[in-house]
Coordinates of all heavy atoms in Angstrom, one line a residue:
Chain A
M614 N -19.9 -15.2 11.8 CA -19.6 -13.9 11.1 C -20.5 -13.7 9.8 O -20.6 -14.7 9.1 CB -18.1 -13.9 10.7 CG -17.8 -12.4 10.1 SD -16.1 -12.6 9.3 CE -16.5 -13.3 7.9
K615 N -21.1 -12.5 9.7 CA -22.0 -12.4 8.6 C -21.4 -11.1 7.9 O -21.3 -10.1 8.6 CB -23.4 -12.2 9.1 CG -24.4 -12.7 8.1 CD -25.7 -13.0 8.7 CE -26.5 -11.8 9.1 NZ -27.8 -12.1 9.9
L617 N -22.5 -8.1 6.0 CA -23.7 -7.3 5.7 C -23.4 -6.5 4.4 O -24.4 -6.4 3.6 CB -24.0 -6.4 6.8 CG -24.4 -7.0 8.2 CD1 -24.6 -6.0 9.2 CD2 -25.6 -8.0 8.0
A618 N -22.3 -5.9 4.3 CA -22.1 -5.1 3.0 C -20.5 -5.2 2.7 O -19.7 -4.8 3.6 CB -22.3 -3.6 3.3
A619 N -20.1 -5.8 1.7 CA -18.7 -6.0 1.4 C -18.2 -4.6 1.1 O -17.0 -4.4 1.5 CB -18.6 -7.0 0.2
N620 N -18.9 -3.8 0.4 CA -18.4 -2.5 0.1 C -19.2 -1.5 0.7 O -20.3 -1.0 0.1 CB -18.2 -2.3 -1.3 CG -17.7 -1.0 -1.8 OD1 -17.2 -0.3 -0.9 ND2 -17.6 -0.8 -3.1
A621 N -18.8 -0.9 1.9 CA -19.7 0.0 2.5 C -19.0 1.4 2.3 O -19.2 2.3 3.2 CB -19.9 -0.2 4.0
G622 N -18.3 1.6 1.3 CA -17.6 2.9 1.0 C -16.1 2.7 0.8 O -15.5 1.9 1.4
T623 N -15.6 3.4 -0.1 CA -14.2 3.4 -0.3 C -13.6 4.5 0.4 O -14.1 5.5 0.8 CB -13.8 3.7 -1.9 OG1 -14.6 4.8 -2.3 CG2 -14.2 2.5 -2.7
L624 N -12.2 4.3 0.7 CA -11.5 5.3 1.5 C -10.3 5.6 0.6 O -9.6 4.7 0.1 CB -11.0 4.7 2.9 CG -12.1 4.3 3.8 CD1 -11.5 3.6 5.0 CD2 -12.8 5.6 4.2
N626 N -6.2 6.9 0.6 CA -5.2 6.7 1.5 C -5.1 7.7 2.6 O -4.8 7.3 3.8 CB -3.9 6.7 0.7 CG -3.6 5.5 0.0 OD1 -4.3 4.6 -0.1 ND2 -2.5 5.5 -0.8
V629 N -7.5 6.8 5.6 CA -7.0 5.7 6.4 C -5.9 6.4 7.3 O -5.8 6.1 8.5 CB -6.4 4.5 5.5 CG1 -5.9 3.6 6.4 CG2 -7.6 4.0 4.7
F632 N -7.3 8.4 10.0 CA -8.0 7.5 11.0 C -7.0 7.0 11.9 O -7.0 7.0 13.2 CB -8.7 6.3 10.3 CG -9.2 5.2 11.3 CD1 -10.4 5.6 12.1 CD2 -8.6 4.1 11.5 CE1 -10.9 4.6 12.9 CE2 -9.0 3.2 12.4 CZ -10.2 3.4 13.1
K636 N -6.1 7.7 16.0 CA -6.0 6.7 17.1 C -4.7 7.0 17.9 O -4.6 6.2 18.9 CB -5.9 5.3 16.3 CG -7.3 4.6 16.1 CD -7.0 3.2 15.7 CE -7.2 2.3 16.9 NZ -7.2 0.8 16.6
V650 N -2.0 -1.1 17.1 CA -1.5 -2.4 17.1 C -0.3 -2.5 16.1 O -0.3 -1.6 15.1 CB -2.5 -3.4 16.5 CG1 -2.3 -4.9 16.9 CG2 -3.9 -3.1 17.1
S652 N 0.4 -4.2 13.5 CA 0.0 -4.4 12.1 C -0.6 -2.9 11.6 O -0.4 -2.6 10.4 CB -1.1 -5.3 11.9 OG -2.3 -5.0 12.5
E653 N -1.2 -2.2 12.4 CA -1.7 -0.8 12.0 C -0.4 0.1 11.8 O -0.5 0.9 10.9 CB -2.6 -0.3 13.0 CG -4.0 -1.0 13.2 CD -4.9 -0.5 14.3 OE1 -4.4 -0.3 15.4 OE2 -6.0 -0.3 14.0
Y659 N 3.7 2.7 5.8 CA 3.5 2.8 4.3 C 3.0 4.1 4.0 O 3.4 4.7 3.0 CB 2.7 1.5 3.9 CG 2.4 1.6 2.4 CD1 3.4 1.4 1.4 CD2 1.1 2.0 1.9 CE1 3.2 1.4 0.1 CE2 1.0 2.1 0.6 CZ 2.0 1.7 -0.4 OH 1.7 1.9 -1.7
N692 N -7.5 6.9 -7.5 CA -6.2 6.4 -7.7 C -5.3 7.7 -7.9 O -4.1 7.6 -7.6 CB -6.2 5.6 -9.0 CG -5.1 4.4 -8.8 OD1 -5.0 3.7 -9.8 ND2 -4.3 4.5 -7.8
M696 N -2.1 8.3 -5.8 CA -0.8 8.3 -6.3 C -0.1 9.7 -6.6 O 1.1 9.8 -6.6 CB -0.8 7.6 -7.7 CG -1.0 6.2 -7.7 SD -0.1 5.1 -6.7 CE 1.6 5.5 -7.4
V702 N 3.3 10.9 -17.7 CA 3.5 9.5 -17.8 C 3.1 8.8 -16.5 O 2.8 7.6 -16.5 CB 5.1 9.2 -18.0 CG1 5.9 9.5 -16.7 CG2 5.2 7.9 -18.6
P706 N -0.9 5.5 -17.0 CA -1.4 4.1 -16.6 C -2.7 4.3 -15.7 O -3.5 3.3 -15.7 CB -0.3 3.7 -15.8 CG 0.5 4.6 -15.4 CD 0.4 5.8 -16.4
Chain B
M1301 N -7.9 1.4 -2.9 CA -7.0 0.5 -2.1 C -7.7 0.1 -0.8 O -7.6 -1.1 -0.5 CB -5.8 1.3 -2.0 CG -4.7 0.4 -1.4 SD -3.1 0.8 -2.2 CE -2.3 1.4 -0.7
F1302 N -8.3 1.0 -0.1 CA -9.0 0.7 1.1 C -10.4 0.9 1.0 O -11.0 1.7 0.4 CB -8.4 1.6 2.3 CG -6.9 1.4 2.5 CD1 -6.1 2.3 2.1 CD2 -6.5 0.3 3.2 CE1 -4.6 2.1 2.3 CE2 -5.2 0.1 3.5 CZ -4.3 1.0 3.0
Y1303 N -11.2 0.0 1.6 CA -12.5 0.0 1.6 C -13.0 -0.2 3.1 O -12.5 -0.7 4.0 CB -13.1 -1.2 0.9 CG -13.0 -1.2 -0.6 CD1 -11.9 -1.6 -1.3 CD2 -14.0 -0.7 -1.3 CE1 -11.8 -1.6 -2.6 CE2 -14.0 -0.6 -2.7 CZ -12.8 -1.0 -3.4 OH -12.8 -0.9 -4.7
L1304 N -14.4 0.2 3.2 CA -15.1 -0.1 4.6 C -15.9 -1.3 4.2 O -16.5 -1.4 3.1 CB -15.9 1.0 4.9 CG -15.2 2.3 5.5 CD1 -16.1 3.3 5.9 CD2 -14.4 1.8 6.9
S1305 N -16.0 -2.2 5.1 CA -16.9 -3.3 5.0 C -17.7 -3.4 6.3 O -17.1 -3.3 7.4 CB -16.1 -4.6 4.8 OG -15.6 -4.7 3.5
R1306 N -19.0 -3.7 6.1 CA -20.0 -3.8 7.4 C -20.1 -5.2 7.6 O -20.6 -6.0 6.7 CB -21.2 -3.1 7.1 CG -22.0 -2.7 8.4 CD -23.1 -1.7 8.3 NE -24.1 -2.3 7.5 CZ -24.6 -1.7 6.4 NH1 -23.9 -0.7 5.9 NH2 -25.6 -2.2 5.7
L1307 N -19.8 -5.6 8.8 CA -20.1 -7.0 9.2 C -20.9 -7.2 10.4 O -21.0 -6.2 11.2 CB -18.7 -7.7 9.4 CG -17.9 -8.1 8.1 CD1 -16.9 -6.8 7.9 CD2 -17.0 -9.2 8.5
E1308 N -21.3 -8.4 10.7 CA -22.0 -8.7 12.0 C -21.3 -9.9 12.5 O -21.0 -10.9 11.8 CB -23.5 -9.0 11.6 CG -24.3 -9.1 12.9 CD -25.7 -9.6 12.6 OE1 -25.8 -10.8 12.4 OE2 -26.6 -8.7 12.4
H1309 N -21.2 -10.0 13.8 CA -20.5 -11.1 14.4 C -21.0 -11.3 15.8 O -21.3 -10.3 16.5 CB -19.0 -10.9 14.4 CG -18.2 -12.1 14.8 ND1 -18.4 -13.2 14.0 CD2 -17.5 -12.4 15.7 CE1 -17.5 -14.2 14.6 NE2 -16.9 -13.6 15.6
E1331 N -10.8 -6.5 17.6 CA -9.4 -6.3 17.0 C -8.6 -7.6 17.2 O -7.9 -8.0 16.2 CB -8.7 -5.2 17.9 CG -9.1 -3.9 17.5 CD -8.4 -2.7 18.2 OE1 -7.7 -2.9 19.1 OE2 -8.7 -1.5 17.8
F1334 N -10.0 -9.9 14.2 CA -9.9 -9.6 12.8 C -8.6 -8.9 12.3 O -8.3 -9.0 11.2 CB -11.1 -8.7 12.4 CG -12.4 -9.5 12.4 CD1 -13.3 -9.3 13.5 CD2 -12.6 -10.4 11.5 CE1 -14.5 -9.8 13.4 CE2 -14.0 -11.1 11.5 CZ -14.8 -10.8 12.5
L1335 N -7.9 -8.2 13.2 CA -6.8 -7.3 12.7 C -5.8 -8.2 12.1 O -5.3 -9.2 12.6 CB -6.3 -6.5 13.9 CG -6.5 -5.0 13.7 CD1 -8.1 -4.7 13.5 CD2 -6.0 -4.3 14.8
D1336 N -5.3 -7.7 11.0 CA -4.1 -8.2 10.3 C -4.5 -9.7 9.8 O -3.6 -10.5 9.6 CB -2.9 -8.4 11.2 CG -1.6 -8.3 10.4 OD1 -1.7 -8.0 9.2 OD2 -0.6 -8.7 10.9
L1342 N -13.0 -10.3 0.9 CA -13.0 -8.9 1.5 C -11.7 -8.2 1.5 O -11.5 -7.0 1.5 CB -13.6 -8.9 2.9 CG -15.2 -9.1 3.0 CD1 -15.6 -8.8 4.4 CD2 -15.8 -8.2 2.0
V1346 N -7.5 -4.0 8.1 CA -6.4 -3.1 8.7 C -6.8 -2.6 10.0 O -6.0 -2.6 10.9 CB -6.3 -1.9 7.7 CG1 -5.4 -0.8 8.2 CG2 -5.7 -2.3 6.4
S1347 N -8.1 -2.3 10.1 CA -8.5 -1.6 11.5 C -9.9 -1.7 11.7 O -10.7 -1.8 10.7 CB -8.0 -0.2 11.4 OG -7.9 0.4 12.7
V1348 N -10.4 -1.6 12.9 CA -11.8 -1.6 13.2 C -12.2 -0.1 13.1 O -11.8 0.7 13.9 CB -12.1 -2.2 14.7 CG1 -13.6 -2.0 14.9 CG2 -11.6 -3.7 14.7
I1384 N -3.4 1.4 -9.7 CA -1.9 1.5 -9.8 C -1.4 1.7 -8.3 O -2.0 2.5 -7.6 CB -1.5 2.7 -10.7 CG1 -2.2 2.7 -12.1 CG2 0.1 2.8 -10.7 CD1 -1.8 1.6 -12.9
A1386 N 2.2 1.7 -5.7 CA 3.7 1.7 -5.5 C 4.1 0.8 -4.5 O 3.4 0.7 -3.4 CB 4.2 3.1 -5.2
L1401 N 4.4 -4.2 0.3 CA 3.9 -2.9 0.7 C 4.3 -2.5 2.0 O 3.9 -1.6 2.6 CB 2.4 -2.8 0.6 CG 1.8 -2.9 -0.8 CD1 0.2 -2.9 -0.7 CD2 2.2 -1.7 -1.5
L1450 N 6.0 0.8 -9.6 CA 4.6 1.0 -9.8 C 4.0 -0.3 -10.5 O 4.7 -0.6 -11.5 CB 4.3 2.2 -10.7 CG 4.7 3.5 -10.1 CD1 4.3 4.6 -11.0 CD2 3.9 3.8 -8.7
R1452 N 0.3 -2.4 -12.0 CA -1.2 -2.3 -12.0 C -1.7 -3.8 -11.6 O -1.2 -4.8 -11.9 CB -1.5 -2.2 -13.6 CG -3.0 -2.4 -13.8 CD -3.4 -2.2 -15.3 NE -3.4 -0.8 -15.6 CZ -2.8 -0.2 -16.6 NH1 -2.3 -1.0 -17.4 NH2 -3.0 1.1 -16.8

Side-chain angles (χ1 to χ4, degrees):
Chain A
M614 188 190 77
K615 210 159 73 184
L617 301 177
N620 182 2
T623 45
L624 296 173
N626 283 3
V629 178
F632 174 80
K636 271 191 95 173
V650 201
S652 70
E653 288 176 319
Y659 173 75
N692 210 180
M696 294 302 301
V702 78
Chain B
M1301 188 141 113
F1302 295 101
Y1303 286 87
L1304 283 179
S1305 291
R1306 196 166 70 243
L1307 285 90
E1308 186 190 87
H1309 191 56
E1331 288 185 345
F1334 291 108
L1335 249 55
D1336 210 15
L1342 282 193
V1346 170
S1347 203
V1348 177
I1384 310 292
L1401 291 176
L1450 296 183
R1452 170 178 286 133

